[in-house]
Amino acid sequence: MLHNARHAYATLTLCALTLGFAPRPRVSRCTQLRLSPDRDELRKLRVKELQAELGKRNIRWQSFLEKEELVVALSEALEAAENFSGSGAMTPGLVAELTAEEVELELQHDGAPLLLDVYATWCGPCQLMAPELRKAAAELGATARVGKLDSDAYPKLAETLRVGGLPTIIAFRGGREATRVEGAVMAGDLVRMVS
C-alpha cells in the first residue's frame, strides 16, 4: 500500500512539474522572520521552531521540559549574538552564511575580528575548505566572527572586496582588511589569521 502511495505522489508531482506547476516548498516562519531576543515575540513561535533555532546554534534543548525554557535559552542566545555580531546573523563558534548587507553591518561593528570566506558553490576547493572553516570557527569561539559570502549571489561586493580567485579568505580588524589568502587553507592557518 505504501509503495502505491509513493508512486501516486511521484506521478502527481511529475505531472504538476510537466504542466508548469511546482510544489511550494514548506518554509518555516523562522526563516521569514528576523528573530529578536524579545521573549514575548519568541513565545509566539511553535515549540518545533524554537527547537530548530536552538539546534542551529548548537544549544542542547532536549532536557527542557517546558516551552518557556526554550524561549529563555533562545532569548539569551540571541542577546549574546546581538552583542557579538553587528548584523545579529553571526553566532560564536559557528560559520554564518552572510548577505551583502550583513557583511556591511559586520564590517561596521567594532567587535571581534571578522574572518570572511568568499566562495562559490561550484568551486571544488571552496567545498573542500568548508569543514576547515567550521573547525576554525569552533576553535575561535567568541574571539572571532566567522562568515561566508557567496560570490555568485553578491558579485558587486565580491568585486568591491577585490576577489580574484576562489576561495578568498579575508581577515578584518576594526572594519579594515588585515590579511588575505587565496586558495584552500587549513583550520590552524585560519585561526592564526585572526589571532
Side-chain angles (χ1 to χ4, degrees), residues 45-77:
L45 297 176
R46 296 182 187 113
V47 169
K48 290 280 187 198
E49 292 170 327
L50 291 166
Q51 292 169 340
E53 288 298 321
L54 288 167
K56 286 181 192 175
R57 291 164 176 78
N58 288 340
I59 298 171
R60 295 188 173 274
W61 54 263
Q62 290 81 0
S63 64
F64 298 153
L65 300 176
E66 301 291 328
K67 180 178 180 179
E68 189 62 21
E69 292 175 296
L70 298 169
V71 168
V72 169
L74 184 55
S75 175
E76 290 173 356

Side-chain angles (χ1 to χ4, degrees), residues 84-95:
F84 177 73
S85 166
S87 67
M90 304 187 87
T91 304
L94 298 176
V95 179

